[in-house]
Amino acid sequence: MQLCSSVFTLGFLKDTPDPSEVDVMNKQVLRRPTTNRSRAVWRCGTLLMLIPLLATGCSPQVVMLHPVGPVGRIEERLIILSIVLVTIVIVPVFVLLWYIVRRYRDVPGNDAPYRPEFSESRTLEIVWWGVPILIIGILAVFTARDTFALTKPPERSAPPLTVQVTSLDWKWLFQYPGQKIATVNYCYIPTNRPIQFILTANAPMNSFWVPQLGGQEYTMPGMAMQLWLQADKPGVYHGRGAQFTGKGFAHMTFDVTATSQAQFDAWAKQIQKTAPALTEAGYTNLAHPGLVGKMSFSSYPPNIFHDVIMKEGGMYMKHDKAVLEGEK
Amino acid sequence: MALPGYVGNAPTSFFVTGDPMIYASDVLIVLTVIGIVFVLTYYKKWGWLWREWLTTVDHKKIGIMYLIAALLMLFRGGTDAVLMRTQLALPNMHFLEAEHYDQIFTTHGTIMILFMAMPLVFAMMNIAVPLQIGARDVAFPYLNAISFWLFFFGALLLNLSFVIGGSPDGGWTSYPPLVENPTDPGPGENFYLLALQISGIGSMATGINFLVTILKMRAPGMTLMRMPLFCWSILATSILIIFSFPALTIALALVLIDRLFDAHFFTMLQGGNPMMYINLFWVWGHPEVYIVVLPAFGIFSEVIATFSRKRTFGYSSMVASMLAIAVISYLVWLHHFFTMGAGPGVNTFFAISTMCVGIPTGVKVFNWLFTMYQGRIRMTVPMLWSIGFIPTFAIGGATGVMLAVAPADYQYHNSYFLIAHFHQTLIGGVVYGMFAGLYYWWPKMFGFILNERIGRWAFWFFNIGFYVCFLPQYQLGFMGMTRRIYVYPAGMGWTALNLISTIGAYLMAVGFVLIVVDILYSIRYGERDVTGDPWDGRTLEWSLPSPAPHYNFARIPTVTARDAWWVMKGERKRGEVKRELEPLEPIHMPNNSGRPFILSVLFFLGGFGLVFEWYWLAIPSGIGVMVCLLLRSLEYNMDHYIPVSEIKRTEAALGRS
């Protein structure tokens, strides 16, 4: 409180009221506000607001803030940075609001200065045009840096693995061009290796999101979109479609299991040996709207990913061709 | 494998069947209509309704009609919200099935943005702008009536879909290819497209109308830089409407052509490109949020200055920041789809332009704070909503800047973090602003003050409910919950937060009901406003009696400074002016006309015909619309003069000389 008052009696703010102005203020007091009650309500409100945070705290279920890979970490760092930077503006707003509303109430006997014509201050205006510009400037630099960084593989420690993802109504198809296997509604990835997800949709557009690994990217018909992700720790990570696609949308979840490279290879071998093959007819069936559980296939029609993209408009886009070529 | 509750896409019959809630609505609708018809007939009010309301071109009455319609739509959209929150209160609920939930979130969004926020803004601008600039009506009163009736019948068309044909279910953004025929057959989506198209024509006309009104009809001496800030905000909003709505019109028209005539603008196959729609939609959609929030900023500026008994701090800065927001709002649309494959250069550009919106917005917040600083703050209900707005909007703006960080948005996108953010800005900005305006201008509209005590209860329920509802949703976003899911599994840690959020939604609903109670109570017991200036106001509308006579100003005032009425009052108090009153002159006013109403009915019938592809209905209605336009072009008897004797009588009855 002491601090507040001293801040607000700086030289450029004349703090002594003009006697004639005080006179005006005492007329026309509309209604005495119920100060105490309002304050109590405010306090209750503040407490209620804190409940959700206290209830969940920072449990690992807050997936966005517990990333397990470099992409998620870059994004988490930006989230934290932006929270800190906006706090620089928000906190003064809250403090000022609280102070001003408390100090300048129109109640009899309030001796706070009253200056009805005080409406210009170059100094103040420079401060609050300047500070936000500065904050946005800092945030912009980091945003630009990381936006570019995220279009590249996270770490060049190991050669990337490519997984082709197709969103269907209402399931996720994963194809492994390297291993020649396919899965539905779940996928395996090796840890400590950049994964290049190439995304498309053979249905209304969806969005591929595994929050603990990193941000999402849309799956769009006729487009081959790229998303780099990487897991550092073994585990099962929850993924879901993030763009509404109709009735089965809420059920479009999938699991991403990250294991060591050896375990991943063993898993792929086992699928190759034990699972059935995905045929053209099987794919058509799969693409038909409906829900299915987890499925595995030892092989799939080799050009199906490419063909779906081309058929749905990829043939008009240079970008798609480049992505699909680059992958070969 | 079929989905639980999945009964196929195609409509089974003309009337929606199979759900008890729908049958209940059917019964309610029929009863309401019978009730209204009975009351009107019993009290012989049909003629009154037609003469005083349906044919009126008076901006004040049009404003009141906008207000009533908007509050009804707020009730409808709010009911949708409560239903959704009930469904999400606990995991694996079966209160609503997927298809109902999808329809409800679609109509919730569409109604709240286009049939609640927009008309509420239009209500405020119709009521206040001509009075604030010292004009007798808007520039084009007849067009103004058309705007209202097109909005009204657009809203009716969309709401009709609930019981006839089925509601749209593709989300309020209605992205193709999901809403194209193969994945979304049936009339629901057509209702969305045509309802928005019809009301969109009205919005466009309103934009033009108020731009011209503000530029051409200000009282002598009221230069642009002497205008109340609310008028500035409407000027900025009008410009935004004029430049953004054409993009929506085109986007909707192309989807309609796709659906009705099997074209391929946005289809999955045959070379359609859905991205084009998404760009067009957001080229309108982003400016749209500023279209609704800028007028709220204007209202806060008026209310805060009035109830702090102080001049607005940094007027030029306020104007500059408003115009800056208007300009920047056209340069940010891509931030709605950072995750749709734009390159890093493009994403960076739009990320930074989006953050830049935060700068002028922050400036406005500090200027409001310093308008109160060293003032005398009266905690009236309009002021409560304005003060409540500042923290909500500070948080909403801050999360907006967080969302602008493109790589972070890869995480937030379509999560509940986003949901919390835009509700925080749209409710905390627009709804708080419009409620402030509602309480502030209510005496000017109706001649009595809304009860402050009930109003305060309403505010606290709504405000606390608001935080309880939306703060948990930020956290849910961090926990990976996505929007538009009708059900979620247990064990994700989402349950407690969802339950709290639902409780908050109920608290807000109580707040809304209390506002309605306040209105009903005050109609009977409200304190009458006999002075015309109950708040000790600063701008010209408070120089008039409440409610203002239909010609507004018997004599057009001459303005010498900002806060014109405050200055005049000051001069009178000090006895400085013994101005000779100029003699009254006959006042030129527009005639009432039933044609805007008939024209809009024809639009409605045409729209309804197109929804079901009944060309036997759509084509004649279209011809009818053309005939109406032609008749107007050939009309010469459009106006009349109010004689001086009548003005004198009216003024004397209002206690003015």
Side-chain angles (χ1 to χ4, degrees):
Chain A
M1 196 51 249
Q2 199 54 48
L3 183 77
C4 285
S5 340
S6 59
V7 168
F8 291 102
T9 45
L10 290 177
F12 55 82
L13 298 174
K14 191 177 63 136
D15 219 6
T16 39
D18 188 340
S20 66
E21 292 168 348
V22 176
D23 195 50
V24 179
M25 103 210 169
N26 283 331
K27 289 174 193 158
Q28 277 231 347
V29 177
L30 208 85
R31 207 157 280 164
R32 272 208 65 177
T34 46
T35 325
N36 285 331
R37 192 190 305 156
S38 320
R39 207 172 292 155
V41 177
W42 259 119
R43 247 173 238 151
C44 279
T46 323
L47 273 180
L48 277 173
M49 281 182 243
L50 288 175
I51 290 174
L53 290 175
L54 295 175
T56 49
C58 279
S59 85
Q61 284 178 317
V62 187
V63 283
M64 237 186 246
L65 303 179
H66 289 83
V68 292
V71 174
R73 265 199 304 280
I74 289 178
E75 288 158 354
E76 185 211 8
R77 273 205 300 272
L78 272 178
I79 290 172
I80 305 283
L81 174 75
S82 61
I83 291 176
V84 170
L85 286 174
V86 296
T87 309
I88 298 176
V89 177
I90 288 196
V91 167
V93 168
F94 278 58
V95 171
L96 274 171
L97 181 68
W98 175 77
Y99 169 76
I100 290 173
V101 170
R102 208 178 139 277
R103 181 87 174 91
Y104 298 102
R105 289 292 278 276
D106 191 6
V107 285
N110 187 351
D111 59 351
Y114 173 54
R115 290 198 292 151
E117 299 303 316
F118 171 55
S119 63
E120 298 289 336
S121 162
R122 188 164 289 250
T123 324
L124 282 173
E125 298 241 24
I126 288 172
V127 170
W128 57 63
W129 278 97
V131 172
I133 289 176
L134 212 64
I135 289 173
I136 299 300
I138 296 168
L139 196 55
V141 170
F142 287 98
T143 301
R145 187 194 68 181
D146 290 345
T147 308
F148 279 87
L150 288 178
T151 56
K152 301 182 190 77
E155 277 161 30
R156 290 216 165 269
S157 50
L161 173 82
T162 298
V163 182
Q164 297 168 331
V165 182
T166 312
S167 69
L168 301 166
D169 270 348
W170 292 283
K171 69 267 304 176
W172 292 93
L173 173 66
F174 299 88
Q175 296 169 55
Y176 292 78
Q179 288 67 24
K180 312 277 182 227
I181 56 170
T183 57
V184 172
N185 288 343
Y186 83 102
C187 71
Y188 269 58
I189 55 168
T191 48
N192 296 317
R193 193 174 157 189
I195 314 290
Q196 182 194 27
F197 288 100
I198 300 186
L199 314 166
T200 194
N202 191 10
M205 60 182 74
N206 208 310
S207 191
F208 177 85
W209 189 29
V210 191
Q212 234 169 331
L213 295 183
Q216 64 200 283
E217 187 73 28
Y218 270 61
T219 60
M220 316 244 295
M223 289 173 77
M225 317 276 274
Q226 285 192 92
L227 177 66
W228 289 101
L229 293 175
Q230 179 174 328
D232 292 344
K233 277 193 285 187
V236 181
Y237 306 114
H238 182 73
R240 59 166 60 236
Q243 170 64 28
F244 177 66
T245 49
K247 295 181 182 67
F249 164 68
H251 305 287
M252 274 187 78
T253 56
F254 56 91
D255 286 332
V256 179
T257 306
T259 61
S260 67
Q261 182 67 45
Q263 277 172 309
F264 172 80
D265 291 337
W267 168 79
K269 280 233 171 60
Q270 202 211 339
I271 298 284
Q272 282 160 356
K273 262 189 234 151
T274 58
L278 179 64
T279 58
E280 292 271 1
Y283 177 80
T284 313
N285 216 9
L286 198 62
H288 194 73
L291 297 177
V292 297
K294 290 177 181 169
M295 297 163 94
S296 313
F297 299 103
S298 57
S299 69
Y300 57 84
N303 282 328
I304 202 150
F305 188 76
H306 182 269
D307 291 350
V308 161
I309 291 177
M310 288 301 142
K311 195 178 77 181
E312 289 176 342
M315 68 273 214
Y316 306 114
M317 301 201 189
K318 261 190 256 163
H319 172 78
D320 287 345
K321 283 187 187 143
V323 171
L324 293 171
E325 291 298 318
E327 171 211 337
K328 272 176 191 167
Chain B
M1 181 177 123
L3 279 174
Y6 179 71
V7 292
N9 268 319
T12 43
S13 57
F14 180 71
F15 289 103
V16 179
T17 53
D19 188 88
M21 270 200 303
I22 306 267
Y23 293 131
S25 315
D26 288 340
V27 172
L28 268 178
I29 289 169
V30 171
L31 286 180
T32 313
V33 171
I34 291 174
I36 292 172
V37 169
F38 176 77
V39 167
L40 286 172
T41 313
Y42 187 81
Y43 291 102
K44 299 197 175 61
K45 287 288 186 188
W46 285 103
W48 165 83
L49 183 70
W50 177 258
R51 279 190 309 275
E52 296 290 319
W53 296 97
L54 301 190
T55 60
T56 187
V57 293
D58 181 346
H59 69 96
K60 298 179 289 297
K61 285 185 175 166
I62 290 174
I64 288 170
M65 290 193 290
Y66 266 123
L67 182 67
I68 294 168
L71 289 177
L72 284 174
M73 287 297 100
L74 180 54
F75 173 72
R76 162 77 211 268
T79 309
D80 286 345
V82 166
L83 289 176
M84 281 191 285
R85 279 317 319 170
T86 308
Q87 165 70 12
L88 292 179
L90 295 168
N92 298 316
M93 286 273 276
H94 286 290
F95 175 64
L96 297 171
E97 296 305 341
E99 48 197 358
H100 297 135
Y101 189 85
D102 297 348
Q103 293 183 354
I104 285 173
F105 73 65
T106 302
T107 51
H108 169 75
T110 311
I111 284 175
M112 285 303 202
I113 292 278
L114 287 143
F115 299 116
M116 187 283 283
M118 289 290 278
L120 213 43
V121 166
F122 290 165
M124 296 303 154
M125 59 205 248
N126 265 291
I127 286 154
V129 167
L131 301 182
Q132 285 196 329
I133 61 172
R136 289 192 169 126
D137 207 320
V138 294
F140 310 114
Y142 177 90
L143 186 64
N144 200 20
I146 293 181
S147 289
F148 170 74
W149 289 111
L150 285 180
F151 145 72
F152 179 87
F153 284 106
L156 189 65
L157 191 61
L158 187 81
N159 280 280
L160 212 56
S161 68
F162 187 60
V163 288
I164 293 179
S167 298
D169 59 359
W172 86 275
T173 48
S174 182
Y175 279 180
L178 176 63
V179 299
E180 296 282 356
N181 279 328
T183 38
D184 198 1
E189 176 65 16
N190 295 351
F191 271 114
Y192 168 92
L193 295 169
L194 286 152
L196 263 60
Q197 200 69 281
I198 290 171
S199 66
I201 300 169
S203 306
M204 183 77 197
T206 303
I208 295 169
N209 212 338
F210 278 81
L211 180 75
V212 179
T213 304
I214 292 171
L215 290 182
K216 303 294 286 183
M217 302 195 47
R218 280 166 288 133
M222 180 165 283
T223 58
L224 284 176
M225 289 307 274
R226 283 180 190 163
M227 281 201 307
L229 279 169
F230 179 66
C231 294
W232 264 111
S233 73
I234 299 302
L235 183 65
T237 283
S238 302
I239 295 169
L240 284 177
I241 290 176
I242 292 169
F243 285 100
S244 67
F245 265 78
L248 177 71
T249 306
I250 295 298
L252 296 176
L254 295 182
V255 177
L256 192 69
I257 293 170
D258 271 5
R259 287 179 59 89
L260 295 185
F261 309 115
D262 291 319
H264 298 288
F265 291 109
F266 310 127
T267 53
M268 246 188 305
L269 298 171
Q270 283 98 8
N273 188 348
M275 260 337 276
M276 301 296 248
Y277 172 89
I278 294 168
N279 274 290
L280 279 172
F281 184 87
W282 288 113
V283 164
W284 162 78
H286 202 82
E288 164 68 12
V289 301
Y290 295 103
I291 288 171
V292 290
V293 88
L294 284 180
F297 289 175
I299 292 173
F300 294 129
S301 302
E302 302 294 315
V303 169
I304 290 177
T306 301
F307 294 107
S308 304
R309 265 208 204 99
K310 195 160 163 282
R311 294 179 62 162
T312 305
F313 194 88
Y315 178 93
S316 333
S317 239
M318 290 297 237
V319 172
S321 57
M322 210 129 55
L323 295 178
I325 292 172
V327 172
I328 301 171
S329 75
Y330 282 107
L331 305 174
V332 300
W333 79 91
L334 191 127
H335 71 218
H336 295 272
F337 44 97
F338 280 141
T339 50
M340 285 190 189
V346 173
N347 274 357
T348 304
F349 173 86
F350 282 95
I352 294 172
S353 64
T354 304
M355 292 171 196
C356 288
V357 179
I359 300 167
T361 316
V363 167
K364 295 189 82 68
V365 169
F366 283 105
N367 277 334
W368 285 315
L369 286 173
F370 273 74
T371 302
M372 293 188 276
Y373 176 76
Q374 299 198 335
R376 276 296 172 268
I377 300 170
R378 287 174 288 163
M379 277 296 180
T380 57
V381 177
M383 191 62 173
L384 265 183
W385 285 106
S386 306
I387 289 175
F389 148 84
I390 289 176
T392 55
F393 205 77
I395 299 172
T399 52
V401 171
M402 289 169 68
L403 276 155
V405 179
D409 181 75
Y410 301 162
Q411 289 279 31
Y412 304 134
H413 184 88
N414 274 356
S415 76
Y416 261 78
F417 187 89
L418 170 79
I419 304 301
H421 159 74
F422 72 68
H423 282 93
Q424 184 117 33
T425 47
L426 283 173
I427 296 179
V430 184
V431 176
Y432 278 42
M434 296 306 134
F435 283 163
L438 175 82
Y439 274 86
Y440 182 59
W441 281 311
W442 190 272
K444 194 46 63 189
M445 287 183 252
F446 298 104
F448 61 90
I449 300 167
L450 288 175
N451 184 281
E452 289 271 311
R453 196 180 157 78
I454 307 175
R456 256 195 284 276
W457 276 98
F459 169 78
W460 284 111
F461 263 102
F462 198 93
N463 192 47
I464 291 172
F466 174 81
Y467 286 102
V468 175
C469 184
F470 291 107
L471 285 190
Q473 294 188 6
Y474 285 115
Q475 183 78 347
L476 282 170
F478 282 127
M479 299 175 86
M481 181 165 168
T482 49
R483 71 196 292 195
R484 292 176 176 171
I485 50 173
Y486 77 102
V487 69
Y488 57 91
M492 304 287 291
W494 300 348
T495 309
L497 290 165
N498 270 302
L499 188 62
I500 293 170
S501 181
T502 301
I503 293 169
Y506 281 107
L507 291 177
M508 289 169 77
V510 172
F512 174 75
V513 169
L514 282 174
I515 288 177
V516 176
V517 168
D518 196 358
I519 291 172
L520 296 177
Y521 175 87
S522 306
I523 287 175
R524 198 169 167 125
Y525 303 105
E527 187 189 329
R528 303 291 128 176
D529 169 31
V530 285
T531 60
D533 186 13
W535 310 122
D536 195 11
R538 313 177 70 82
T539 42
L540 283 178
E541 74 269 35
W542 304 111
S543 69
L544 297 170
S546 299
H550 66 285
Y551 49 78
N552 299 349
F553 296 89
R555 296 179 185 81
I556 299 290
T558 305
V559 175
T560 54
R562 257 174 234 163
D563 294 335
W565 175 235
W566 185 259
V567 172
M568 287 179 200
K569 280 192 286 189
E571 284 169 353
R572 280 183 205 176
K573 217 173 281 173
R574 289 193 296 274
E576 278 172 16
V577 269
K578 286 281 173 273
R579 200 152 38 95
E580 294 259 319
L581 283 179
E582 288 159 35
L584 288 167
E585 280 171 29
I587 295 175
H588 184 207
M589 294 299 284
N591 287 350
N592 282 358
S593 170
R595 211 179 295 112
F597 181 78
I598 295 166
L599 175 84
S600 305
V601 170
L602 290 167
F603 257 106
F604 172 78
L605 292 175
F608 192 76
L610 280 182
V611 165
F612 288 96
E613 302 183 47
W614 293 344
Y615 294 104
W616 54 265
L617 178 61
I619 292 168
S621 307
I623 294 171
V625 168
M626 293 298 161
V627 171
C628 281
L629 297 178
L630 192 69
L631 285 176
R632 173 64 177 180
S633 304
L634 300 174
E635 190 175 36
Y636 293 100
N637 182 21
M638 304 184 293
D639 42 22
H640 63 277
Y641 279 90
I642 304 175
V644 172
S645 58
E646 192 189 326
I647 304 170
K648 273 189 178 149
R649 259 202 316 280
T650 315
E651 290 290 301
L654 292 166
R656 310 248 165 164
S657 55

